[in-house]
Amino acid sequence: GNSVTQMEGPVTLSEEAFLTINCTYTATGYPSLFWYVQYPGEGLQLLLKATKADDKGSNKGFEATYRKETTSFHLEKGSVQVSDSAVYFCALSGVSNFGNEKLTFGTGTRLTIIP
Amino acid sequence: DGGITQSPKYLFRKEGQNVTLSCEQNLNHDAMYWYRQDPGQGLRLIYYSQIVNDFQKGDIAEGYSVSREKKESFPLTVTSAQKNPTAFYLCASSRGQYTGELFFGEGSRLTVL
């Protein structure tokens, strides 16, 4: 079945540092890949997505490239801010046992940015 | 503003009691979902519904029940049969053509005393 493996946290960085959160996946076919973010006390929000190999998703200074050869979708940001402190989830879309599309989430990576 | 409203935000329950978590959306989305979030385990799908009066079990449906009588509403009942109900529950919705873009509510935290 489909699975997503994320870099274990927590991750603590200083403001303006470079961020990488690793994500690799196992899937059949050609899934779409996503990063969701969860700020403290809130639900998840879609951060970015990529629907085919070599696509780059980007939003709010974050980027991730769909690498089919390495089955990866690593999240990067060049200069993090305190407001980026949150939990980040990698996810992929695939087909459920009922033939419907469903999302499979990674376990999440907690990021804390120190001023 | 369009969105998903979950209530209550916090709920305490005694063992052996059923509780119902509310989820309402005004996004006119066809599909709705319930996820459970536990520390270190990410999100796991409990139930989902693609259209009114139809729903399917997800990966961890045992001990839970749902209904979808209206497009806007997808309540989740945590029954006494659920062995470890203490968790954070998230409701989500998406357009009928599932693109992976889910819109989430703010969640309900259930604690069993």
Side-chain angles (χ1 to χ4, degrees):
Chain A
N2 295 341
S3 66
V4 175
T5 302
Q6 273 186 247
M7 170 181 180
E8 287 197 17
V11 174
T12 303
L13 295 172
S14 297
E15 204 165 21
E16 299 183 2
F18 184 86
L19 168 70
T20 300
I21 300 178
N22 291 337
C23 172
T24 57
Y25 67 90
T26 301
T28 55
Y30 302 94
S32 294
L33 301 173
F34 308 86
W35 277 100
Y36 279 81
V37 59
Q38 183 179 31
Y39 297 104
E42 298 183 10
L44 279 69
Q45 305 172 23
L46 179 65
L47 179 60
L48 54 83
K49 69 178 183 180
T51 58
K52 60 183 188 295
D54 300 325
D55 267 3
K56 176 185 284 188
S58 61
N59 186 26
K60 299 181 181 180
F62 291 89
E63 293 183 340
T65 301
Y66 189 163
R67 301 285 189 199
K68 191 169 176 62
E69 64 277 11
T70 55
T71 62
S72 65
F73 193 54
H74 305 322
L75 182 68
E76 297 181 335
K77 187 174 185 182
S79 177
V80 293
Q81 306 300 314
V82 172
S83 58
D84 294 327
S85 298
V87 181
Y88 292 81
F89 292 89
C90 186
L92 67 81
S93 66
V95 179
S96 74
N97 291 336
F98 299 98
N100 297 312
E101 197 171 359
K102 63 171 284 189
L103 276 186
T104 299
F105 286 89
T107 55
T109 301
R110 182 176 299 277
L111 173 66
T112 301
I113 307 301
I114 299 172
Chain B
D1 288 339
I4 298 180
T5 301
Q6 289 187 239
S7 63
K9 196 171 179 69
Y10 299 94
L11 184 62
F12 297 88
R13 182 193 101 174
K14 293 182 180 179
E15 284 191 20
Q17 290 181 334
N18 293 351
V19 294
T20 297
L21 307 180
S22 170
C23 178
E24 303 280 331
Q25 55 102 354
N26 60 4
L27 299 168
N28 200 33
H29 285 169
D30 288 314
M32 297 187 75
Y33 311 82
W34 275 105
Y35 286 88
R36 171 177 170 144
Q37 185 177 17
D38 296 283
Q41 295 195 51
L43 276 69
R44 293 181 290 170
L45 182 64
I46 304 172
Y47 268 99
Y48 64 99
S49 168
Q50 300 283 3
I51 57 171
V52 176
N53 293 322
D54 185 54
F55 49 83
Q56 305 288 346
K57 292 181 179 180
D59 300 316
I60 56 165
E62 184 175 352
Y64 300 98
S65 66
V66 294
S67 63
R68 186 86 186 276
E69 297 177 0
K70 299 186 301 182
K71 187 175 185 177
E72 302 79 16
S73 179
F74 191 42
L76 172 74
T77 297
V78 184
T79 75
S80 56
Q82 170 49 237
K83 296 179 181 177
N84 297 298
T86 295
F88 191 53
Y89 291 89
L90 286 163
C91 180
S93 72
S94 69
R95 296 180 183 88
Q97 181 63 37
Y98 189 42
T99 62
E101 182 166 1
L102 299 184
F103 294 78
F104 283 84
E106 294 193 344
S108 293
R109 183 167 299 280
L110 172 64
T111 302
V112 174
L113 303 174

